[in-house]
Amino acid sequence: METRMVMKREQEEKSSQMSHSMALSSQIKKKTFTSSDEEASYCDFYPIIPADLMSVKEILNMDNLPRHRTWEILKETMDADEEYHRDKWTPFGNEAEKVEIDVIRNQHVLRTRIDKMALRKQAEKKASVHMKYLERLSQKAPDFPIPLRAHTVWEGMMVKLSCTVQGCPPPKVTWYKDGVPLRMSDRPWNYSLQQRFGLNSLEIRRCSPDDAGEYKVVAKSSLGEAMTFGTLVVNSYQGAMAGSEHSQTPALQLAQEAQFGTVFPPTWVEEGDSLTLQCTFTSALLSFQQDVSWFRDGIQLHQSSTVDIKAIDNTASITLRAVHKEHEGIYTARLRTWDGIQEHSAFVYIKDASAAVVGGPASPLSVQVSDINKDFVFLTWQPPSADGTSPVEGYYVERYDLNQGEWVQCNEHIQKMCHYPVFGLKEGTLYQFRIRAVNQTGAGRPSKATEPIFTADPLEHTRTMVVKVDRGRTITITKDELEGQVKTPFPPTNVHACEVSDTYVVLSWTEPEPRGREPLTFYVERSLTGKSSWELASLDMVVNAPRFPVFDLMKGKQYCFRVRSINKYGVSDPSEPSPLISLGKPQYAPAPPDSVMAIRDTDTSVLLQWKEPKEKDDILGYYLYYSEAGKQAWKTVNNKPITKTRFTIHGLKTQKEYVFRVKSVSRAGNSIYSDETQPIVVKSAIYVPSAPSAIAMLLCTGSEMVLGWRAPACSGGDPVRGYYLDQREKGMKTWREVDIRPVKERQVKVSNLTSGHFYQFRVFAANVVGVGKPSEASEAFLCEKWTMPEPGCPYDLELREVRNNSLVLLWSAPLYDGRGPVTGYLLEISQGDQSDNWTALNEKPISDTHYKVSGLEAGQTYRLRVAAVNEAGVGCASLPSEPVTAQTRPGTKNIEIGVDNDGFIFLGYESNEMNDGSKFLWNKNYTESIDAGKAKAETKKNRSVLTFADPSEDDLGLYTVEMSDNPNLSSSYNFTAEDLERLKELSWQVRNPLIALKSGWQVEVSEKGAVRLWLQTESLSNAAELRLIFNDREISSTPHRQINFDKAKGLLEILFDQLSQEDEGSYTAQLRDGRAKNQFTLVFVDQKFRQTLALADANRRDHQRKSGPYFQEFLSWSVNEDCELIIKCKVTNTNKDTSLRWFKEGMEVTQVVYEQSSGVSTLTISQVTKKEAGSYKAVVSDGRGEDVSTLELLDEEYDKLLQQLSKQCALSAGPLRIQCTAEGFKLYCSLKYYISYLKTIWHFKEKRIDQEARTKTDSSMQKVWIEIFNPTENDKGQYTLEMFDGKETHKRNLDLSGQAFADALLEYQRLKQVAIAEKNRAKVIKGLPDVVAIMEGKSLCLTCFVDGEPAPEIFWLRNDREIINQGQFAITKEHKCSTITVNNVKMEDSGKYSIFVRNQYGSETVNVTVSVYKHGEKPPANAVEMG
């Protein structure tokens, strides 16, 4: 048995070895080919040879090729197996070789087939790409190289209209006749249309007069359209049947392409909000323009879940649903045009969202994930621009497992650098990461979370290859299948540090080759330099990936590391030790930039530039900051580092002064701030002026011309210093200078001209920067002497004081007067930029050379022109003014008039736009200069003041001011006689000032009886003086009278500790403060003094009274809503020994409620009667003293109480209601309380109801009523109850008419009938007790009396059954009386006996219980004993 077992075991072992060898051979050969259109994924790592060229053995026996360690291991394995089992392999090896040859042959055939298919696909793809390329090159809009031409034929002849069309893609061609599409189906026998190779022909076989007309051919494609025309004339004996010959072949007609219209400016948006940028275009987008591209910092943006891009009609927009700092940058919209590409760009600033904690830092940005492994990733980020109230100390790293749904902090201690290795992740899991900055106040807002990353082996794809075979099938080959069964793993290789920091080191190594099929983990060991012992660095941590961060290294020490591989079969030998590794040097924040300089750019922006630091290798970019000069209120410009060394800062306020500074940004943090720039005022930079316009000829003498022109619309920030004029004769191309020297004025005389010739001119403007662009060439002026009688045209039209509804037009008188002097001017206005509809502004000529145009419509555009008038008539009009929009510019100021601190009258004007060379130009009536002896102008910063020395009526008139470099900033003021009179009075007050009084003399009495006299003026200086006069003599402070004077507050007070008769009189305060002075008098005599003296004495006595317990509120009474009398008082300054007692007429009252905590004591009387009248007294006392309060509730005071009580009772009255009775109606009113003092009167239809037989009034404690007996229709109407409380009358009304009366009358009648029925109803009135007792054998007699009309029927019942009058029972019935006799009563006669009476109005039953007892027994206790 043992022998069989051994043989069987040997056979199984042999079979296992053979299958293992075959599997190994097969695995090696599976990975030996790829198709030519695939990548040989392993060729860079393994020397794989195609299997159709070499066998496995040949590969392993090649010595002249470089071998990877894998092949050495495989060769050793195969050699060992071959040597050990050589005898057993021979039979199997031959068979395996045959199989191998068949496999190689099939592989070769398969390879050839795949290569052919791949080559065919490549050729087809290249051909398709080439065709598309050729199509793009050949794209062309439709065109007619040979257009239609006109034809004239005789009737009945044949004609052929032809044209050639070209374009790519081929256009669609349509024929028209007289504007209507030509349909061949209408006359197929006569029309023949041919289109071949671009030649389009229309053949008309027999022409008739109907065929004459205009023929048109239109070619359309996606790139545009073109058309050509031709006329066909058909002659007949009656004449030609079409118009004159005409042919038209217009040039290529392209649709109007869209251009940028309104574009988006620099934009600010808060972090987390949505952002929308929008452009509008001049027209609807053409088909090829629909794809408007959007870019951020040069990178194109595409439609996604967070980005929405739209292009509709003439609008394109992009929306970012939630912006983050990473989205900050330059956004560009790109539009395709016929000529190329148009772009518009603007910077989008992302502002920090509100801090997570007060004073906390902003959020970091640009979190990047790299080196993704099975359980390890490496994070980098950029520091925030805003530190908060303290510098950023470090960062917290957080991860988010998408399966668990919560954020978890990765690092226990803050990480100072902007990079961190995250270890210990789960393989095959989706993670997101974010960063928080930390300062002393706490952690700030988190950064934008990264996109989800999947933890996996990054080299997994290199261990798998997919081979495509026919019919879409694939073969997957893994590296594990090629490596065979590796049990105990090999050690890793290339152990080194891939990331070194001053706090950690990240180790990296290469997995062993071959790795084997079993999953690998690793042990990391370390050793200090110079020591032979190794310790485990990974401890109890499982290392799944060839990355491992080490944090617990000592600074200044060097370490060696080695790694062991682990699988289920065991642990490998250690790897080769790594090179010496130590912690890196600490990284420090970079140096700040230097040479920071701000340069003027526009009215709202500044160009900032700087030099980068010398050590710039680690710098990621720069953060910029700005503040208004002198405020130190720094704000962040950008929240995403700028990589360049210049940047344009937008959003600044015009004419404000700013300073700037910069920080460098690196992974080690932000640098300190750079030095501040010099303060710079935000205003536009200086540039050359724009071109002049509107050149006009003002005068011509035959050899000379005088020309004028309009100033440039923009001077470039510097005044125009002069003009240069060029001229040329009409038809000539060459311009020549009129004078090499600039002309200061906008008017010049050109000499040495030839009479009868035409000349053109152009003008250049120049400022300190240089010469601007030339104006457009003027029209050709004829050099001919002017002799017309009318005057020439006015010139130099200028606009001033443009507002929403008005403007002022200025002009210069014409240089040519004509036959007589100019007597006036006529003005015309036109609405719109180019409109020729002119409307007269003035019916009669005006003599001034300025005119204020009113009644304009805000937002509308206008042009104006002027014509001069003389005795001969109206001359030619001037050139129109430049278009102007009636709109007040933001920040526009007007001239203000006033008086300065020295008493001088002035006109002031403030400009919100000032340049270095700006000047304020003051004039009178726009053109007249102001006499320097009468008025002087001074300018401080952006304000100018025109001060008059001594204005008089000669100085009245219109004053104007404008800016020298910007006449659009202008204003005027009409200085009138009323202004002069008002301001002269104000000037006198300023020069002769009075100390202003805030509060006149006041008299106050304190609680202690002291008296205070006081007054208050405006604030005075320390040099102010006071004289206090009492009854014509100056007084000062005494012990009895104290005088206080607070100059800063302007407060004067006189304090009397005890006022006396000697203090009566007049008090006068004389004040002087510099030039200002004033005096104030108090007449403190007669009644005013006596009242004050009495009040002071009373307060003094009251203060003494309050030294102990006292009444804060004396006894008083009131009536509440429940009509109760409340008498109360309130005491204060009490203690535990204080007692409070009440008395009435000397008798103590005990029903008083006293709350010691509040001091309130109350006596409540629910019903007031005459006994409540009397004298009440309350006494509060303790050891400190006593206070008494009395209340006399008598006579008038008692009447007042009754009146108040009556009023409250009347107010508590409810509405009038009706109650029906058998006798009639009862109208009543409910009150909370009724007293006889409240007089009540009833009215019916506004007439008083007197006491009569049919009415009766009455009252109770809570109700008053009136009864109306036997009501009829005459009682229908309005009822009123008047309640008079002694002062006021209170009314309650009831409208008893209509349905209400009908219902009440019906109810009365019903109750009346019920009463009658109740009165006449049959009923038992007396006779029967409830229980009777009788001894057995006796006779029982029960008598009962009844009543009712008519007389009722009577029935006796026993146990609810009628008793018959016979035998034992005897019944007698008399008028309203009946008796029943029971003879010889027996025990069985006990029971319930009843009498039942009835008539037509009703019935009634009365019961009696009969109890029969035997002789010797006691009757029931509750029974009436009978017999």
Side-chain angles (χ1 to χ4, degrees):
M1 186 67 181
E2 292 180 359
T3 305
R4 291 181 181 178
M5 292 295 293
V6 170
M7 291 179 64
K8 186 175 182 180
R9 191 176 301 158
E10 289 179 352
Q11 290 175 359
E12 290 177 354
E13 186 177 0
K14 176 180 178 181
S15 175
S16 174
Q17 291 169 349
M18 291 172 64
S19 62
H20 169 72
S21 176
M22 189 170 184
L24 181 61
S25 176
S26 175
Q27 290 165 3
I28 294 174
K29 292 179 178 63
K30 281 182 182 177
K31 191 65 180 183
T32 57
F33 72 94
T34 59
S35 63
S36 59
D37 60 342
E38 300 177 18
E39 293 183 1
S41 304
Y42 302 124
C43 63
D44 296 334
F45 307 99
Y46 314 104
I48 297 175
I49 310 299
D52 56 352
L53 301 179
M54 308 185 78
S55 68
V56 175
K57 296 179 180 180
E58 289 174 331
I59 293 173
L60 296 178
N61 291 330
M62 291 179 63
D63 296 329
N64 56 346
L65 290 176
R67 295 189 180 92
H68 192 273
R69 189 162 177 241
T70 305
W71 300 114
E72 296 176 2
I73 296 168
L74 289 175
K75 188 173 184 302
E76 292 172 2
T77 303
M78 294 185 67
D79 289 345
D81 290 342
E82 185 174 358
E83 182 178 357
Y84 186 75
H85 301 287
R86 186 180 303 274
D87 295 336
K88 302 176 182 179
W89 272 82
T90 304
F92 177 75
N94 293 334
E95 295 177 5
E97 189 171 357
K98 292 178 182 179
V99 174
E100 183 180 16
I101 292 171
D102 291 339
V103 171
I104 292 173
R105 185 184 298 110
N106 292 334
Q107 289 176 345
H108 182 71
V109 173
L110 183 60
R111 171 64 181 269
T112 303
R113 186 181 303 168
I114 291 174
D115 281 347
K116 287 180 180 179
M117 292 175 63
L119 288 173
R120 186 182 299 111
K121 289 181 181 178
Q122 271 191 341
E124 290 175 355
K125 185 177 180 180
K126 288 183 178 179
S128 175
V129 171
H130 185 66
M131 290 298 295
K132 291 181 180 178
Y133 174 72
L134 292 177
E135 287 178 4
R136 286 197 299 269
L137 288 179
S138 60
Q139 278 190 349
K140 184 179 179 183
D143 188 20
F144 288 97
I146 302 177
L148 284 179
R149 64 182 182 86
H151 287 74
T152 302
V153 297
W154 286 96
E155 186 178 1
M157 292 181 61
M158 186 271 291
V159 66
K160 196 171 188 179
L161 305 177
S162 302
C163 63
T164 59
V165 63
Q166 64 182 16
C168 185
K172 179 182 179 182
V173 177
T174 307
W175 286 78
Y176 295 83
K177 178 178 180 293
D178 295 330
V180 179
L182 191 63
R183 293 192 299 177
M184 301 298 112
S185 59
D186 291 346
R187 301 175 67 186
W189 63 88
N190 200 37
Y191 290 156
S192 176
L193 181 62
Q194 295 181 355
Q195 297 181 0
R196 182 178 298 178
F197 305 114
L199 176 63
N200 289 262
S201 300
L202 174 65
E203 182 179 332
I204 306 176
R205 295 184 179 89
R206 294 180 60 83
C207 290
S208 67
D210 294 336
D211 296 321
E214 183 183 69
Y215 287 81
K216 178 175 70 172
V217 182
V218 178
K220 291 184 178 179
S221 75
S222 59
L223 300 178
E225 69 176 44
M227 63 185 69
T228 180
F229 300 85
T231 303
L232 175 63
V233 179
V234 181
N235 290 326
S236 68
Y237 295 104
Q238 286 80 25
M241 301 306 295
S244 59
E245 182 174 333
H246 153 227
S247 175
Q248 179 181 7
T249 305
L252 179 66
Q253 296 189 4
L254 300 177
Q256 176 87 24
E257 68 175 0
Q259 306 284 340
F260 277 109
T262 304
V263 294
F264 55 92
T267 305
W268 288 260
V269 62
E270 188 172 297
E271 182 181 8
D273 292 346
S274 63
L275 165 68
T276 298
L277 302 177
Q278 180 173 293
C279 294
T280 58
F281 304 99
T282 55
S283 61
L285 295 170
L286 299 180
S287 57
F288 78 97
Q289 295 181 305
Q290 291 291 332
D291 186 16
V292 177
S293 302
W294 291 86
F295 298 82
R296 179 174 61 236
D297 295 333
I299 299 175
Q300 187 169 0
L301 303 174
H302 299 281
Q303 184 81 18
S304 68
S305 59
T306 59
V307 179
D308 185 19
I309 299 176
K310 293 181 181 178
I312 303 174
D313 296 334
N314 66 331
T315 303
S317 65
I318 182 172
T319 299
L320 277 69
R321 292 182 174 85
V323 296
H324 298 275
K325 295 180 180 180
E326 291 81 354
H327 298 146
E328 186 174 83
I330 298 176
Y331 282 73
T332 302
R334 181 177 293 176
L335 175 69
R336 290 198 301 171
T337 63
W338 297 116
D339 300 329
I341 290 176
Q342 284 189 357
E343 290 184 348
H344 168 71
S345 299
F347 199 90
V348 174
Y349 299 84
I350 309 298
K351 300 185 294 184
D352 280 317
S354 57
V357 294
V358 178
S363 58
L365 68 155
S366 300
V367 183
Q368 301 292 330
V369 185
S370 61
D371 201 6
I372 302 171
N373 274 273
K374 296 179 183 179
D375 59 355
F376 173 90
V377 296
F378 192 75
L379 300 179
T380 59
W381 60 89
Q382 294 178 357
S385 60
D387 292 345
T389 55
S390 62
V392 171
E393 298 176 353
Y395 304 90
Y396 284 133
V397 179
E398 296 178 350
R399 71 170 183 266
Y400 180 82
D401 185 341
L402 269 65
N403 296 326
Q404 295 181 355
E406 64 177 346
W407 287 96
V408 179
Q409 187 172 306
C410 298
N411 54 324
E412 181 179 355
H413 304 289
I414 59 174
Q415 169 65 17
K416 294 187 177 181
M417 299 295 108
C418 294
H419 48 75
Y420 186 75
V422 181
F423 180 73
L425 304 177
K426 292 185 291 186
E427 183 180 1
T429 305
L430 285 171
Y431 286 98
Q432 287 181 284
F433 299 91
R434 68 184 187 186
I435 312 296
R436 289 180 184 267
V438 183
N439 66 5
Q440 290 182 356
T441 60
R445 290 176 58 87
S447 67
K448 176 190 175 188
T450 64
E451 295 297 326
I453 60 101
F454 186 73
T455 53
D457 186 356
L459 299 178
E460 184 64 29
H461 69 281
T462 65
R463 303 183 61 83
T464 305
M465 184 178 73
V466 178
V467 179
K468 296 179 181 178
V469 295
D470 59 344
R471 298 181 183 177
R473 293 181 296 175
T474 60
I475 298 175
T476 302
I477 303 173
T478 64
K479 191 174 179 183
D480 293 341
E481 296 172 341
L482 298 176
E483 292 176 344
Q485 292 185 352
V486 177
K487 293 187 176 181
T488 302
F490 296 96
T493 58
N494 190 26
V495 180
H496 64 283
C498 64
E499 181 71 27
V500 178
S501 170
D502 61 334
T503 57
Y504 66 85
V505 169
V506 179
L507 298 177
S508 174
W509 58 86
T510 304
E511 292 183 341
E513 296 291 351
R515 188 180 70 177
R517 300 178 182 178
E518 301 301 331
L520 282 181
T521 58
F522 304 95
Y523 284 157
V524 180
E525 299 175 344
R526 70 182 175 191
S527 175
L528 272 170
T529 304
K531 292 186 177 181
S532 59
S533 61
W534 291 84
E535 62 180 4
L536 195 62
S538 55
L539 296 176
D540 55 348
M541 293 180 285
V542 178
V543 182
N544 293 318
R547 298 288 187 278
F548 182 70
V550 185
F551 288 93
D552 56 347
L553 301 181
M554 293 185 292
K555 294 185 178 180
K557 301 292 185 179
Q558 290 185 321
Y559 296 84
C560 284
F561 293 89
R562 67 184 186 186
V563 184
R564 295 176 186 264
S565 304
I566 312 165
N567 66 8
K568 72 177 185 178
Y569 295 110
V571 182
S572 74
D573 294 332
S575 66
E576 293 294 328
S578 68
L580 294 178
I581 297 174
S582 61
L583 292 176
K585 295 181 180 179
Q587 292 180 292
Y588 298 101
D594 55 12
S595 303
V596 184
M597 182 170 59
I599 303 171
R600 284 166 53 182
D601 184 49
T602 69
D603 287 336
T604 57
S605 64
V606 165
L607 175 62
L608 194 67
Q609 62 184 26
W610 58 92
K611 288 183 180 179
E612 56 190 7
K614 294 181 181 179
E615 299 294 334
K616 60 181 181 180
D617 294 338
D618 297 330
I619 290 181
L620 302 175
Y622 304 93
Y623 286 133
L624 316 181
Y625 305 86
Y626 72 96
S627 171
E628 288 193 33
K631 292 187 176 181
Q632 292 297 312
W634 291 97
K635 297 180 181 179
T636 304
V637 174
N638 60 308
N639 278 307
K640 179 180 175 182
I642 296 168
T643 56
K644 298 181 180 179
T645 57
R646 56 187 287 136
F647 185 77
T648 301
I649 302 174
H650 303 92
L652 305 178
K653 296 179 181 178
T654 306
Q655 297 297 323
K656 293 288 185 180
E657 196 172 39
Y658 290 89
V659 291
F660 303 87
R661 60 188 185 185
V662 186
K663 276 184 179 181
S664 301
V665 184
S666 74
R667 301 281 183 208
N670 299 333
S671 71
I672 61 174
Y673 292 106
S674 67
D675 294 335
E676 295 180 11
T677 63
Q678 293 295 323
I680 183 172
V681 177
V682 178
K683 54 186 176 181
S684 178
I686 300 175
Y687 49 90
V688 295
S690 59
S693 58
I695 302 175
M697 182 169 64
L698 307 179
L699 179 63
C700 184
T701 63
S703 62
E704 294 179 340
M705 287 184 184
V706 179
L707 303 174
W709 55 86
R710 186 185 298 150
C714 181
S715 64
D718 185 75
V720 175
R721 307 299 174 94
Y723 298 91
Y724 295 91
L725 185 69
D726 288 354
Q727 73 175 44
R728 71 179 180 187
E729 288 196 36
K730 182 180 179 181
M732 302 295 290
K733 294 184 179 180
T734 304
W735 292 92
R736 68 177 184 86
E737 293 180 344
V738 174
D739 196 338
I740 61 173
R741 292 170 299 179
V743 180
K744 300 294 183 182
E745 304 296 331
R746 284 181 285 108
Q747 178 181 324
V748 66
K749 180 187 291 185
V750 183
S751 305
N752 301 322
L753 303 178
T754 303
S755 180
H757 286 216
F758 286 89
Y759 293 90
Q760 287 181 295
F761 301 89
R762 68 179 184 184
V763 185
F764 301 79
N767 63 6
V768 69
V769 178
V771 180
K773 293 183 179 180
S775 67
E776 294 183 1
S778 70
E779 62 176 288
F781 297 132
L782 174 62
C783 185
E784 185 178 36
K785 185 177 181 180
W786 285 6
T787 59
M788 64 275 197
E790 296 84 5
C793 63
Y795 67 99
D796 202 10
L797 272 66
E798 295 182 351
L799 298 169
R800 298 288 187 273
E801 302 177 45
V802 179
R803 304 293 187 264
N804 286 337
N805 306 109
S806 65
L807 58 82
V808 174
L809 180 67
L810 310 179
W811 64 88
S812 297
L815 301 181
Y816 179 74
D817 292 339
R819 191 166 61 194
V822 173
T823 58
Y825 301 93
L826 296 174
L827 283 77
E828 294 178 317
I829 190 170
S830 172
Q831 186 170 336
D833 293 343
Q834 304 293 332
S835 175
D836 289 329
N837 296 324
W838 294 91
T839 304
L841 285 174
N842 55 325
E843 297 179 359
K844 296 182 180 180
I846 59 172
S847 57
D848 293 332
T849 56
H850 59 84
Y851 184 80
K852 185 171 184 177
V853 182
S854 303
L856 302 181
E857 185 176 348
Q860 291 293 331
T861 302
Y862 299 91
R863 293 187 302 157
L864 299 103
R865 66 183 184 183
V866 185
V869 181
N870 66 2
E871 62 181 14
V874 181
C876 60
S878 66
L879 290 176
S881 68
E882 58 186 352
V884 59
T885 301
Q887 188 171 10
T888 304
R889 296 179 59 169
T892 297
K893 303 292 181 65
N894 293 320
I895 293 177
E896 59 179 7
I897 190 169
V899 176
D900 62 17
N901 294 333
D902 295 324
F904 291 98
I905 299 174
F906 71 90
L907 297 173
Y909 180 72
E910 184 176 329
S911 172
N912 60 342
E913 299 180 20
M914 287 283 291
N915 294 317
D916 295 338
S918 298
K919 295 181 180 179
F920 293 88
L921 304 179
W922 289 89
N923 291 289
K924 196 172 182 182
N925 294 324
Y926 294 100
T927 56
E928 301 175 16
S929 59
I930 299 174
D931 187 355
K934 292 187 175 183
K936 180 182 179 181
E938 292 183 358
T939 300
K940 291 183 179 179
K941 293 186 178 181
N942 63 334
R943 179 176 173 82
S944 179
V945 176
L946 181 69
T947 305
F948 295 93
D950 186 15
S952 62
E953 292 184 357
D954 295 337
D955 297 308
L956 303 180
L958 185 67
Y959 287 83
T960 61
V961 63
E962 65 185 53
M963 303 304 298
S964 60
D965 57 346
N966 190 356
N968 293 325
L969 297 176
S970 56
S971 184
S972 63
Y973 187 85
N974 189 18
F975 190 15
T976 62
E978 290 78 6
D979 292 331
L980 180 62
E981 181 180 358
R982 174 176 59 84
L983 295 174
K984 275 197 169 184
E985 181 180 354
L986 182 59
S987 174
W988 185 90
Q989 294 176 0
V990 172
R991 293 177 180 179
N992 302 276
L994 292 176
I995 296 175
L997 183 66
K998 285 187 176 181
S999 178
W1001 281 107
Q1002 302 291 327
V1003 179
E1004 295 178 353
V1005 180
S1006 69
E1007 294 181 354
K1008 296 181 179 181
V1011 177
R1012 175 176 177 248
L1013 311 180
W1014 65 275
L1015 65 83
Q1016 188 174 14
T1017 67
E1018 61 184 347
S1019 179
L1020 304 175
S1021 68
N1022 291 330
E1025 299 176 358
L1026 166 68
R1027 290 187 66 215
L1028 190 58
I1029 309 298
F1030 172 61
N1031 293 338
D1032 298 330
R1033 60 186 179 86
E1034 187 173 355
I1035 60 175
S1036 59
S1037 293
T1038 65
H1040 163 67
R1041 177 187 59 222
Q1042 183 179 354
I1043 301 173
N1044 297 327
F1045 184 31
D1046 188 337
K1047 299 178 182 179
K1049 295 180 180 179
L1051 182 64
L1052 169 63
E1053 57 183 5
I1054 307 173
L1055 303 177
F1056 300 91
D1057 57 351
Q1058 185 171 350
L1059 192 68
S1060 62
Q1061 291 291 340
E1062 290 76 13
D1063 299 317
E1064 184 178 5
S1066 63
Y1067 294 82
T1068 300
Q1070 297 178 349
L1071 298 172
R1072 178 183 294 274
D1073 190 7
R1075 292 187 304 171
K1077 59 183 179 180
N1078 211 336
Q1079 71 175 26
F1080 311 98
T1081 300
L1082 169 65
V1083 180
F1084 196 34
V1085 297
D1086 299 334
Q1087 184 177 0
K1088 183 175 184 179
F1089 178 79
R1090 289 193 297 271
Q1091 289 177 348
T1092 304
L1093 182 61
L1095 179 60
D1097 292 340
N1099 286 359
R1100 191 177 305 108
R1101 289 192 300 270
D1102 190 58
H1103 176 69
Q1104 294 172 354
R1105 176 180 67 86
K1106 293 179 180 179
S1107 59
Y1110 64 92
F1111 286 94
Q1112 188 176 0
E1113 295 177 8
F1114 294 101
L1115 283 176
S1116 62
W1117 62 267
S1118 63
V1119 178
N1120 61 15
E1121 293 181 354
D1122 294 329
C1123 302
E1124 296 175 330
L1125 172 62
I1126 308 296
I1127 303 176
K1128 70 174 183 177
C1129 61
K1130 184 177 181 180
V1131 297
T1132 188
N1133 197 22
T1134 61
N1135 58 28
K1136 62 180 181 179
D1137 298 326
T1138 303
S1139 65
L1140 177 64
R1141 302 171 67 190
W1142 286 59
F1143 300 90
K1144 181 189 177 188
E1145 304 295 347
M1147 300 295 293
E1148 186 172 358
V1149 179
T1150 59
Q1151 297 84 8
V1152 177
V1153 177
Y1154 173 48
E1155 295 180 3
Q1156 192 169 4
S1157 59
S1158 62
V1160 176
S1161 181
T1162 307
L1163 173 63
T1164 302
I1165 302 173
S1166 58
Q1167 292 185 359
V1168 177
T1169 60
K1170 290 185 178 180
K1171 68 178 183 178
E1172 271 67 51
S1175 177
Y1176 292 82
K1177 181 174 72 171
V1179 180
V1180 59
S1181 63
D1182 58 21
R1184 296 171 294 167
E1186 179 183 273
D1187 196 14
V1188 178
S1189 175
T1190 59
L1191 174 63
E1192 298 294 333
L1193 206 55
L1194 297 168
D1195 301 331
E1196 293 182 0
E1197 191 68 18
Y1198 183 73
D1199 291 340
K1200 184 178 178 182
L1201 167 62
L1202 293 179
Q1203 186 274 326
Q1204 187 66 25
L1205 183 60
S1206 298
K1207 178 180 179 181
Q1208 195 62 43
C1209 292
L1211 292 176
S1212 69
L1216 279 183
R1217 300 184 184 277
I1218 183 171
Q1219 179 182 353
C1220 297
T1221 64
E1223 290 79 17
F1225 296 157
K1226 183 178 182 181
L1227 307 182
Y1228 68 92
C1229 177
S1230 298
L1231 303 92
K1232 289 186 178 180
Y1233 184 52
Y1234 174 74
I1235 59 175
S1236 59
Y1237 188 87
L1238 180 64
K1239 308 301 181 184
T1240 58
I1241 303 175
W1242 292 87
H1243 293 266
F1244 174 61
K1245 295 182 180 179
E1246 300 182 355
K1247 291 184 179 180
R1248 180 170 177 172
I1249 301 176
D1250 296 325
Q1251 192 78 14
E1252 57 183 27
R1254 291 184 60 249
T1255 61
K1256 178 183 177 182
T1257 61
D1258 205 347
S1259 65
S1260 66
M1261 294 294 291
Q1262 279 84 28
K1263 187 181 293 185
V1264 294
W1265 66 84
I1266 183 172
E1267 291 183 280
I1268 304 172
F1269 302 110
N1270 300 320
T1272 64
E1273 287 289 334
N1274 294 331
D1275 298 318
K1276 184 190 300 184
Q1278 175 95 2
Y1279 288 84
T1280 302
L1281 170 63
E1282 288 187 356
M1283 295 171 285
F1284 182 67
D1285 61 13
K1287 287 186 178 181
E1288 300 178 9
T1289 299
H1290 308 271
K1291 294 183 179 182
R1292 298 293 184 269
N1293 301 309
L1294 176 64
D1295 185 9
L1296 190 60
S1297 61
Q1299 188 63 37
F1301 180 82
D1303 293 344
L1305 187 61
L1306 186 62
E1307 178 66 10
Y1308 154 68
Q1309 293 171 351
R1310 185 188 69 81
L1311 293 175
K1312 184 176 181 181
Q1313 292 298 324
V1314 170
I1316 294 173
E1318 179 63 24
K1319 180 179 179 181
N1320 297 328
R1321 179 178 61 85
K1323 49 186 174 290
V1324 179
I1325 55 177
K1326 63 178 180 177
L1328 293 180
D1330 291 334
V1331 179
V1332 297
I1334 188 168
M1335 184 181 296
E1336 184 180 12
K1338 293 186 176 184
S1339 296
L1340 173 65
C1341 182
L1342 297 175
T1343 302
C1344 183
F1345 296 92
V1346 299
D1347 193 12
E1349 290 295 335
E1353 298 178 83
I1354 301 173
F1355 304 90
W1356 287 90
L1357 307 175
R1358 176 171 178 259
N1359 295 330
D1360 298 328
R1361 297 181 66 180
E1362 185 177 0
I1363 301 172
I1364 305 300
N1365 187 9
Q1366 61 182 5
Q1368 186 182 3
F1369 299 95
I1371 299 173
T1372 61
K1373 297 179 180 178
E1374 297 179 4
H1375 180 67
K1376 296 185 179 180
C1377 179
S1378 179
T1379 301
I1380 184 171
T1381 303
V1382 183
N1383 299 313
N1384 193 17
V1385 178
K1386 301 177 182 178
M1387 294 297 295
E1388 55 267 23
D1389 292 330
S1390 296
K1392 182 179 77 171
Y1393 289 79
S1394 305
I1395 183 171
F1396 173 70
V1397 295
R1398 70 181 179 188
N1399 65 5
Q1400 67 185 56
Y1401 292 108
S1403 62
E1404 185 177 12
T1405 300
V1406 176
N1407 300 320
V1408 59
T1409 301
V1410 176
S1411 177
V1412 180
Y1413 62 94
K1414 294 180 179 182
H1415 182 76
E1417 294 180 351
K1418 290 184 178 181
N1422 60 343
V1424 177
E1425 188 173 357
M1426 304 290 290

